[in-house]
Amino acid sequence: MTPAPVKPPSKPLTGPQKALRKLGLVRDIDLALHLPLRYEDQTRIVRLSDVREGDLAQIEGVVSACQIQLSGRRQLLVTLDDGSDTCTLRFFAFYPSQQRALAVGQKIRARGEIRGGLLGWQMMHPAFQAAGGELATTLTPIYPTVAGLPQAYLRRAIQSALARADLTVTVLPEHLYQIGLQPRWSLREALLFLHYPRPDVALGTLEDHSHPAWQRLKAEELLAQQLSQLQAKRERAQLHAPVLMAGSGPGKSHPLQQQLLATLPFQLTGAQRRVCEEITQDLARPVPMHRLLQGDVGSGKTVVAALAAAVCIDAGWQCALMAPTEILAQQHFAKLVGWLEPLGVQTAWLTGSQKTKERRQMLALIASGAAGLVVGTHAVIQDKVQFKNLALAVIDEQHRFGVAQRLALRSKLVEEQQEPHLLMMTATPIPRTLAMSYYADLDLSTLDELPPGRTPVVTKLVNDARRAEVIERISTQLAQGRQVYWVCPLIEESEALDLTNATETHAQLSAALQGSARHGSAALRVGLLHSRMPVAEKKAVMVEFTSGQMGVLVSTTVIEVGVDVPNASLMVIEHAERFGLSQLHQLRGRVGRGAAASACVLLYATGDAPRLGETARARLKAMSETNDGFEIARRDLELRGPGEFLGARQSGAALLRFADLATDTALLEWARRLAPLMLDQHPALAEEHMQRWLGGKAEFLKA
Ligand code: ADP
Ligand code: MG
């Protein structure tokens, strides 16, 4: 690599230099990778008889008239005659020196957009110079830039960076090219071409990035990403983790797990059995598990977590389960206590809202190792929490946790050099291309089967004008002994408004349903749940609803994840147009958990607009067309793009700049096959390649 130029210590940056920083253009390679937005053709002179309106053209001719027009806006009008036709050049601001350069009889070359008009061809403020200079041999790049960074300055900076940047290395040794479809351009060739294309290039292939030079660039970018993910995976394989098996040695079954299986009120699905087996095998290895369990809402991930916990606890170690919300953590806790305490496992419970005394007791149970299982919210990863011997951490709804939080869990070291096994769970299935790229360092387990006896949820789109019919439907459900969720949206700008909305709906439903109630049944009670309520109150409401004493639960999105009340058969989502697609799917997953036929009503309001916006419509349409979480995830990716889809995992991390996961699957496959060969056979080249593309961002991608 070229040594960094030595800078005088105190020389302040000029405006354009600051602007370059702002764009992140610091290293030569950064500049080299700053690609043009579009190109101008300064390689030829066009005859005016051949131009069309709208052409960006370069013309050359003799000035046949030059005058300042004083009527209307003051301007300089220059007539240029190239022998085939004439063109009027208009300048609204000009110096006397320019006026002299454009005097009658001067031969000049002008460049700009051709416009038509009553007076013949015109150009507004064209760039001009004396005629006869050398013509460019390549197209001229126009770069994306910011205020204070002139195009010409940027062009020069990039040109010299390209000359200096260390692009001469053939990144890939020749024999590695043999794998797959790699275009035979070197990075250097590709970049030089993309900055200065030959004039005969088909511009369309540059615009849609299908040109071999683009392919090469995208391939390299994907390769860097694959290398860094693979390296992270291998680094993890160097770490140590406790071997979790029942005391009786390899190959023997796990008594506690067996006992739990025997007491469950249901049989595992085939998918659950397979996934449990995958996890059990990981736990028995001396390296930390790093596994993502994806399964659609209702596919039964919790019991899988419990079975893994059983192996861990049986081997004499502690297991922690962390959920993103207090309600969800509470529910997991209740469920796991119900399953595991009868088998002699002591559990502890940790949340932020806990009373000091209770908390102290819990911390003591955890520190002494008496608690085999610890369930809670983010509180589980706080510094104060000392485990005796944590060996397995389960993170539910992992996409709701940030990178930093996952790292904190991993750092709860058991002993020197030992990390806990990590099981992450998500109901938002990851589309294949994302799984292959951003999640390439994870092992994936998939629950692709729902427990038997579920009837698919029927989804209906209903205009808010027909709200009364929906309320009617609620009372029918209640009369059948069923329960109903009604979810109000989060209005981001105002939590207060959000609350008003939910409170009003709550009042409206209470009134309407009381009115229609002939028998004063308790099941007609309408409850309200929102994020500002004190925890104890929230808990009380959830208990009432879960136990069936409450018929309708009006809530803001706090119930989004994981809540499990099988008797609920109707989900109404108010202002469904304001929700994201995966959020809608999650919410819908709260019903259809029992054998009863369930429905989801998406109430939408168009507001002042005559109809819904395009993406809102696409989301609702997707919801009404499919119940399949994978299909929903795919469409979500389409609508939102990977950046948003990945959410917290990607915060601050390098997203792909050039490659597009939706279209570049073949290149991704190529990079995926090449990465291990390159790491094995050419580790130095691999390192250099990652540095070039990711710089300091590689660490982030590994979290
Ligand atoms: P999710 O994957 O959305 O977290 P849960 O773990 O909450 O799903 O499970 C949904 C419901 O299905 C729970 O009531 C759970 O007890 C039940 N369940 C899980 N596995 C099975 C099974 N194999 N057969 C029947 N019911 C099951
Ligand atoms: Mg769940």
Side-chain angles (χ1 to χ4, degrees):
M1 289 252 156
T2 342
V6 183
K7 288 191 203 88
S10 61
K11 197 172 160 195
L13 293 179
T14 63
Q17 282 169 336
K18 278 191 204 151
L20 282 181
R21 294 237 150 156
K22 206 158 113 194
L23 284 176
L25 304 180
V26 180
R27 306 173 302 167
D28 284 340
I29 184 70
D30 301 328
L31 283 155
L33 291 174
H34 191 67
L35 293 181
L37 272 182
R38 56 187 178 83
Y39 304 91
E40 268 180 14
D41 189 351
Q42 298 176 20
T43 65
R44 37 189 195 122
I45 306 290
V46 202
R47 288 168 57 84
L48 281 166
S49 54
D50 296 336
V51 300
R52 281 164 315 174
E53 174 145 20
D55 282 357
L56 281 172
Q58 181 161 251
I59 55 177
E60 215 172 75
V62 182
V63 176
S64 60
C66 176
Q67 65 189 79
I68 294 179
Q69 179 184 296
L70 295 168
S71 64
R73 190 168 170 196
R74 184 171 183 272
Q75 51 188 285
L76 181 67
L77 294 182
V78 176
T79 309
L80 196 67
D81 186 340
D82 78 347
S84 72
D85 202 345
T86 62
C87 180
T88 305
L89 317 181
R90 286 179 187 268
F91 299 89
F92 294 110
F94 50 93
Y95 298 110
S97 61
Q98 289 174 314
Q99 198 180 339
R100 279 194 298 280
L102 292 165
V104 173
Q106 296 288 358
K107 288 188 177 159
I108 64 162
R109 178 185 295 174
R111 207 168 54 243
E113 185 183 336
I114 296 280
R115 298 200 189 169
L118 288 177
L119 304 173
W121 299 127
Q122 305 196 27
M123 276 186 188
M124 302 299 185
H125 275 283
F128 71 92
Q129 65 193 72
E134 252 180 65
L135 287 171
T137 52
T138 63
L139 298 183
T140 306
I142 310 291
Y143 294 107
T145 185
V146 291
L149 182 58
Q151 199 57 237
Y153 185 95
L154 186 53
R155 236 175 244 162
R156 274 196 306 276
I158 291 176
Q159 195 169 23
S160 48
L162 277 167
R164 278 191 312 263
D166 180 23
L167 303 170
T168 44
V169 234
T170 308
V171 169
L172 308 175
E174 189 61 24
H175 71 280
L176 292 184
Y177 279 112
Q178 307 311 324
I179 309 167
L181 76 170
Q182 175 59 18
R184 298 282 189 131
W185 289 54
S186 73
L187 179 60
R188 181 182 186 73
E189 283 169 327
L191 280 176
L192 286 175
F193 187 88
L194 293 176
H195 284 283
Y196 315 111
R198 284 194 307 270
D200 59 353
V201 68
L203 277 174
T205 63
L206 293 185
E207 273 157 26
D208 70 6
H209 297 189
S210 63
H211 190 277
W214 266 112
Q215 296 283 313
R216 171 62 198 226
L217 204 62
K218 295 193 285 190
E220 295 240 349
E221 180 179 44
L222 287 166
L223 180 60
Q225 190 215 31
Q226 290 296 305
L227 284 170
S228 93
Q229 299 261 312
L230 184 62
Q231 197 182 38
K233 190 168 182 167
R234 292 187 175 181
E235 279 168 10
R236 195 165 358 254
Q238 299 301 310
L239 300 171
H240 301 283
V243 172
L244 301 180
M245 282 190 296
S248 39
K252 295 279 155 48
S253 59
H254 312 294
L256 186 60
Q257 200 188 45
Q258 297 303 334
Q259 288 175 42
L260 176 54
L261 277 173
T263 52
L264 284 176
F266 48 75
Q267 296 272 310
L268 294 189
T269 62
Q272 282 170 323
R273 268 201 300 276
R274 174 173 41 81
V275 163
C276 275
E277 188 52 35
E278 286 164 1
I279 294 170
T280 311
Q281 278 175 12
D282 281 359
L283 294 178
R285 298 176 54 225
V287 293
M289 168 168 76
H290 193 59
R291 188 171 281 280
L292 181 66
L293 167 58
Q294 52 176 357
D296 210 343
V297 280
S299 59
K301 294 184 290 294
T302 318
V303 70
V304 173
L307 289 162
V311 175
C312 168
I313 297 161
D314 211 20
W317 296 79
Q318 289 174 297
C319 170
L321 191 152
M322 193 162 84
T325 66
E326 180 127 6
I327 289 185
L328 188 54
Q330 176 73 44
Q331 185 181 290
H332 279 320
F333 185 65
K335 203 163 225 168
L336 292 167
V337 165
W339 282 335
L340 290 169
E341 283 203 338
L343 303 177
V345 176
Q346 190 165 3
T347 44
W349 160 248
L350 272 184
T351 70
S353 67
Q354 218 156 18
K355 293 249 161 50
T356 320
K357 183 166 164 236
E358 189 192 36
R359 185 177 171 76
R360 220 178 277 137
Q361 283 170 352
M362 292 299 168
L363 289 177
L365 282 179
I366 298 166
S368 71
L373 177 67
V374 181
V375 181
T377 57
H378 298 84
V380 172
I381 47 169
Q382 277 159 10
D383 285 344
K384 293 233 183 67
V385 185
Q386 293 285 345
F387 288 86
K388 173 156 179 274
N389 59 357
L390 178 67
L392 170 64
V394 182
I395 304 183
D396 196 15
E397 310 294 345
Q398 64 92 25
H399 60 284
R400 302 276 300 259
F401 289 95
V403 171
Q405 290 160 333
R406 280 199 299 267
L407 288 177
L409 237 188
R410 276 173 51 194
S411 72
K412 293 253 169 230
L413 291 185
V414 206
E415 286 157 20
E416 268 314 282
Q417 313 287 326
Q418 285 214 333
E419 269 200 26
H421 296 279
L422 188 56
L423 175 63
M424 294 171 265
M425 308 202 288
T426 182
T428 306
I430 297 160
R432 200 176 108 78
T433 45
L434 279 186
M436 277 165 56
S437 51
Y438 285 100
Y439 292 86
D441 65 330
L442 284 182
D443 295 311
L444 266 187
S445 288
T446 306
L447 288 176
D448 49 9
E449 185 185 349
L450 291 180
R454 304 261 167 96
T455 28
V457 180
V458 176
T459 302
K460 293 234 164 68
L461 307 185
V462 178
N463 193 311
D464 195 57
R466 290 167 51 205
R467 204 177 168 99
E469 290 169 43
V470 176
I471 297 177
E472 190 53 39
R473 187 158 178 176
I474 293 180
S475 51
T476 321
Q477 290 298 309
L478 294 178
Q480 292 168 12
R482 301 279 165 209
Q483 286 166 283
V484 178
Y485 291 103
W486 184 300
V487 177
C488 300
L490 192 86
I491 298 166
E492 266 170 36
E493 312 86 70
S494 156
E495 214 184 321
L497 242 177
D498 174 19
L499 206 54
T500 319
N501 191 357
T503 323
E504 275 169 12
T505 299
H506 176 249
Q508 186 192 20
L509 289 181
S510 307
L513 293 169
Q514 287 308 325
S516 72
R518 266 160 240 127
H519 45 88
S521 146
L524 288 182
R525 258 180 61 68
V526 180
L528 176 63
L529 189 68
H530 60 78
S531 48
R532 284 219 186 144
M533 275 160 61
V535 176
E537 238 174 86
K538 273 193 218 170
K539 242 183 244 175
V541 171
M542 273 321 285
V543 167
E544 255 192 276
F545 189 69
T546 313
S547 65
Q549 293 163 275
M550 180 182 283
V552 183
L553 181 62
V554 177
S555 95
T556 54
T557 41
V558 283
I559 63 153
E560 179 193 339
V561 281
V563 175
D564 184 32
V565 180
N567 188 47
S569 59
L570 177 61
M571 163 67 66
V572 182
I573 303 176
E574 187 170 345
H575 279 301
E577 77 280 359
R578 294 186 190 160
F579 288 86
L581 191 45
S582 68
Q583 210 180 6
L584 287 173
H585 182 64
Q586 286 265 356
L587 285 169
R588 175 169 62 185
R590 297 311 111 216
V591 293
R593 305 193 143 226
S598 297
C600 174
V601 172
L602 302 177
L603 270 180
Y604 64 90
T606 54
D608 295 332
R611 53 201 299 209
L612 284 175
E614 203 173 311
T615 42
R617 204 146 24 103
R619 287 196 297 263
L620 297 184
K621 185 161 172 280
M623 283 294 291
S624 66
E625 284 173 359
T626 178
N627 271 311
D628 175 354
F630 279 88
E631 177 60 18
I632 294 275
R634 201 187 58 73
R635 295 207 197 177
D636 203 22
L637 180 63
E638 244 172 47
L639 288 171
R640 292 196 295 167
E644 268 192 72
F645 188 94
L646 293 163
R649 181 172 172 88
Q650 286 319 120
S651 53
L655 275 173
L656 294 169
R657 283 167 66 189
F658 303 118
D660 177 350
L661 291 179
T663 51
D664 295 324
T665 328
L667 291 176
L668 180 59
E669 300 265 13
W670 168 84
R672 203 160 72 118
R673 267 174 293 147
L674 187 55
L677 295 179
M678 194 156 159
L679 265 188
D680 289 339
Q681 300 172 15
H682 305 276
L685 279 182
E687 186 53 42
E688 199 179 294
H689 188 69
M690 281 186 275
Q691 271 303 322
R692 174 178 296 141
W693 279 93
L694 303 171
K697 296 176 205 146
E699 278 307 306
F700 233 111
L701 286 170
K702 292 176 190 170

